[in-house]
Amino acid sequence: MADGISGASGTGRGYLAETGLRSWAFSLDHKRIGVMYLYTTMFFFLVGGLFAELLRLKLMTPGPGFVSDKTYNVFFTLHGALMIFLFIIPAIPSALGNFFIPMMVGAHDVAFPRLNLAGYWIFLAGIVVVIASLVRPMDTGWTFYTPYSAKSGAAVTLLSFGLFLVGMSSILTGLNFIITIHTQRAPGMTWSRMPLFIWGMYATSVIQVLATPVIGMTFILLAAERLFGVGFFDPAKGGDPLLFQHFFWFYSHPVVYVMILPAMGIISEIIPVFSRKPIFGYKAIAYSSMAIALAGFLVWGHHMFVSGMSSVAAVIFSLLTFSVAVPTGVKVFNWIATLYRGSISFESPMLYALMFIFLFIIGGLTGPFLGSLGTNVQLHDTYFVVAHFHYTMMGGTVMGWLAGLHYWFPKMTGRMLSEKLARRAAVLILIGFNVTFFTMFILGYKGMPRRWAEYPVQYQTMHIIATVGSWVLAAGIIVMVWNFTRSLYRGEAAPGNPWGALTLEWQTASPPPVENFEVIPTVTEWPYSFGRKGAGDA
Amino acid sequence: MHELGGAEAAHTAGGPETARLGIWLFLATEVLLFGGLFTAYTVFRMQDPALFHAGSLKLNRMLGAANTVVLICSSLTVALGLAAIREGKIRMLKVFLGLTLLLGAGFLGIKAIEYSEHFARREFPGTDLFFSLYFVMTALHAFHIAAGLAVFSGLLWLAAKGKFDAGYHTPVEVAGLYWHFVDVVWIYLFPLLYLIG
Ligand code: HEM
Ligand SMILES: [Cu+2]
């Protein structure tokens, strides 16, 4: 790829030169907007994590403990809803995507910078409404199933409105990315020379744009149900509660790919750079992202096997579900093939990337247990499910997100992280994570139902182990946050390209200038030809 | 507000082609938004055709038809406005934008009369599934009309400030596409709700 100014060092302040609240709040610079999303989503990761620790603390004892059952419901709803809607869905796309998509395609900015800024403000407005709804806190779980959500005394209508706004912001962001990738690529960047993170984000954006309107409509209908009693989901009025579940999962299953595809994109960037090898099977990785995005729309019914839907439908959904595993498997295979015989260096981004692969494989392999009709009936709504989705969401997406943060921190801030602290945090997180969540597989297998505030005493030992694990995990996160904060002020200055990567965002100064590039680069090669420069495309 | 000086051009999108792609994609999301309602309509209608038949007969077809005509006219004035500004006729653009605003407001007025008729007969959202769907669908559509009116008011203001000419009128074009879409949604809603009875 373009031979840029890879030696340029981070002495200047680049896009960070201007200071003051106004210079941020009204900035049209995609990098600043990305940073604002980053701080916002990270904040909710920490708040959501706080609720997780409270949940775990409560579950140390089988009896009532320090909170009432009602409060417990509020805790897991807030934990789940904040983590899903305000952290994990926007975290990688809106923050890292905004920062890096224009840079990686070699553009000055996204296609619609004003829309981008509007998207952030709509997001923030949504958050304000969500917070306002806490006057009567949610207790429905993050899935808002009717009929309970239509009757609950909580401020469901307000919350629906808040999440509608958050969804709108998500649609605008996805739309902006799709058009940016179509129209703003640097000369020479053909589709087959696009970095894999861009492919992942492209597929993600397609899902965001096509699925989010449906959940938007679902929230409108839920609000109408509560305000006017329209009865769409109420059998007494001829409606059907299953309709709600269909609408909900038509969005929420594809959305798990909004969570995971960007993370997979990050891993696909990091693995070749830190193994100094061309990525294996570039096209397969790129196309499998699109395949996952499309197949993801066909499998929502696997969340509803025990909901009373017809058994023919259940069998079809079960089969389709397995088909999604194929493109996912393709990716994992290609990463491992890239690692094979590479000259691997274990810097912190790579550590998190390897943790991603390890944990995601466990999460992935436990998926088929849930996708199969028979075992699903046994495991449905037990801690097995809780373990499965934490391995994929936290072990997968969050690790991918952390890998990306460590990888791009020098580019975003112009400073290097402390490797020593990063390693310590990684070890704590890895141990804490497995102690917490592997225990939950066993709990689930033994029949512990999820969402129970009180449980039979035979499960207590396991719960105590999980809780202690969650403390180790929290310690790891604290070390990591400390590393970020400290390095932001005292880290050593980062060179333009500390990892020797070939994608375009590294071919400019750290932190980048306002317009990203002094001169828009011309792309002559794909970005993964390590060790064989000039060898042309894959 | 933004500190980009000479590179400002890069920050106002990539020209009409980019904007056109953007609005088409946005309209795709709108199709899916309304898609949820059309799905619900299909499901419930299949479950209880008699209820839908009876409900449909209670709607005021005259007012519905009048609104269809009003909306088609407004689509026409938007198209004429765009044609005018393509030839640089800014005065004509302003006239047609004004007419569009009037027609759109007329549509909302007629809708309000219909709603008050229903309320007087104690037909509300929640009365039965047909009326629930009728009110949610038409209210969402009316909300889109209102949003369109806000956009056209903005365009009229910009036109008055002389922002558009034969060379630059992308916002008019984009708003026009949106308006045609809202029009098309009504073209589906009208037979579905009023005529199939
Ligand atoms: C410190 C790490 C975490 C711990 C200790 C933790 C723990 C828990 C616990 C104990 C539950 C309740 C299970 C039940 O009663 O059914 C739960 C639910 C949940 N968690 Fe986590 N969690 C953590 C991180 C995350 C992350 C990073 C995400 C997503 C990004 C997440 C998403 C969820 C969701 C969606 C639920 C389901 C909530 C519901 O049932 O409505 N968690 N978690
Ligand atoms: Cu699913």
Side-chain angles (χ1 to χ4, degrees), chain B residues 89-103:
Chain B
K89 295 179 185 154
I90 185 89
R91 232 184 63 83
M92 289 305 277
L93 172 67
K94 282 188 273 188
V95 169
F96 283 122
L97 283 176
L99 280 175
T100 311
L101 282 172
L102 279 179
L103 289 165

Side-chain angles (χ1 to χ4, degrees), chain A residues 51-283:
Chain A
F51 279 109
E53 295 299 325
L54 287 173
L55 281 172
R56 288 285 7 137
L57 204 60
K58 160 74 192 67
L59 291 170
M60 285 257 275
T61 50
F66 69 99
V67 289
S68 70
D69 293 3
K70 263 204 115 41
T71 315
Y72 180 84
N73 290 350
V74 171
F75 281 0
F76 79 63
T77 301
L78 286 180
H79 166 67
L82 294 183
M83 282 292 194
I84 296 284
F85 292 109
L86 302 188
F87 163 62
I88 207 165
I89 292 177
I92 302 183
S94 298
L96 297 178
N98 245 319
F99 200 107
F100 287 106
I101 287 177
M103 296 193 70
M104 291 173 93
V105 299
H108 285 308
D109 207 323
V110 291
F112 306 113
R114 277 171 229 280
L115 197 67
N116 202 12
L117 182 64
Y120 179 75
W121 282 102
I122 293 174
F123 182 61
L124 216 56
I127 288 176
V128 170
V129 177
V130 168
I131 291 175
S133 79
L134 293 181
V135 284
R136 280 178 295 136
M138 280 286 285
D139 55 357
T140 64
W142 76 279
T143 50
F144 312 101
Y145 275 7
T146 56
Y148 182 66
S149 61
K151 304 201 174 88
S152 158
V156 179
T157 311
L158 207 55
L159 187 81
S160 308
F161 179 56
L163 293 180
F164 185 85
L165 290 176
V166 170
M168 212 158 118
S169 145
S170 172
I171 292 176
L172 295 181
T173 307
L175 193 150
N176 215 337
F177 289 168
I178 292 179
I179 307 295
T180 303
I181 294 169
H182 270 277
T183 62
Q184 312 288 306
R185 279 172 289 137
M189 179 166 290
T190 56
W191 285 86
S192 55
R193 285 179 189 160
M194 268 184 354
L196 287 164
F197 179 66
I198 304 293
W199 272 105
M201 283 305 311
Y202 186 76
T204 305
S205 306
V206 169
I207 302 176
Q208 272 180 311
V209 165
L210 296 185
T212 316
V214 178
I215 196 77
M217 178 50 72
T218 315
F219 284 138
I220 293 179
L221 295 183
L222 183 57
E225 189 93 27
R226 289 177 63 94
L227 292 174
F228 307 113
V230 292
F232 294 153
F233 309 127
D234 182 357
K237 291 190 170 163
D240 187 350
L242 273 193
L243 187 69
F244 181 88
Q245 293 195 22
H246 278 297
F247 279 159
F248 182 83
W249 287 113
F250 181 81
Y251 165 77
S252 293
H253 184 81
V255 141
V256 305
Y257 302 113
V258 169
M259 304 172 197
I260 198 70
L261 281 171
M264 290 171 154
I266 291 175
I267 303 305
S268 306
E269 295 299 328
I270 291 178
I271 297 278
V273 170
F274 289 85
S275 354
R276 280 290 175 279
K277 261 184 68 189
I279 186 109
F280 182 89
Y282 170 88
K283 289 214 165 104

Side-chain angles (χ1 to χ4, degrees), chain A residues 45 49 52-53 55-56 59 72 76-77 79-81 83-84 87-88 141-143 383 386 389-390 393-394 398 436-437 440 449-452 470 473:
Chain A
F45 174 64
E53 295 299 325
L55 281 172
R56 288 285 7 137
L59 291 170
Y72 180 84
F76 79 63
T77 301
H79 166 67
M83 282 292 194
I84 296 284
F87 163 62
I88 207 165
W142 76 279
T143 50
Y383 265 70
V386 181
F389 70 64
H390 281 93
M393 286 197 293
M394 185 161 196
V398 173
T436 310
F437 294 110
M440 294 192 191
R450 71 187 275 212
R451 292 187 176 177
W452 278 25
S470 78
L473 184 51

Side-chain angles (χ1 to χ4, degrees), chain B residues 60-134:
Chain B
N60 189 332
R61 288 187 181 176
M62 283 313 295
L63 291 183
N67 250 349
T68 310
V69 174
V70 168
L71 214 49
I72 290 178
C73 290
S74 76
S75 245
L76 182 68
T77 53
V78 167
L80 290 174
L82 182 59
I85 193 62
R86 280 208 173 113
E87 292 172 16
K89 295 179 185 154
I90 185 89
R91 232 184 63 83
M92 289 305 277
L93 172 67
K94 282 188 273 188
V95 169
F96 283 122
L97 283 176
L99 280 175
T100 311
L101 282 172
L102 279 179
L103 289 165
F107 179 94
L108 289 182
I110 294 178
K111 202 76 230 161
I113 297 174
E114 273 189 87
Y115 272 17
S116 58
E117 282 184 6
H118 290 304
F119 295 154
R121 274 180 289 160
R122 312 211 52 72
E123 289 154 359
F124 298 108
T127 300
D128 60 37
L129 277 183
F130 177 81
F131 275 105
S132 290
L133 272 170
Y134 164 80

Side-chain angles (χ1 to χ4, degrees), chain B residues 35-75:
Chain B
L37 283 175
F38 282 106
T39 310
Y41 179 91
T42 315
V43 170
F44 292 137
R45 194 192 163 89
M46 273 175 6
Q47 275 170 10
D48 198 346
L51 175 82
F52 277 67
H53 181 77
S56 177
L57 293 179
K58 289 184 201 148
L59 299 187
N60 189 332
R61 288 187 181 176
M62 283 313 295
L63 291 183
N67 250 349
T68 310
V69 174
V70 168
L71 214 49
I72 290 178
C73 290
S74 76
S75 245

Side-chain angles (χ1 to χ4, degrees), chain A residues 18 109 111 217 230 247 514-515, chain B residues 3-4 7 11 13 29 33 36 132:
Chain A
E18 251 187 272
D109 207 323
M217 178 50 72
V230 292
F247 279 159
V514 171
E515 292 273 296
Chain B
E3 55 298 315
L4 302 162
H11 279 258
T29 72
L33 185 76
S132 290

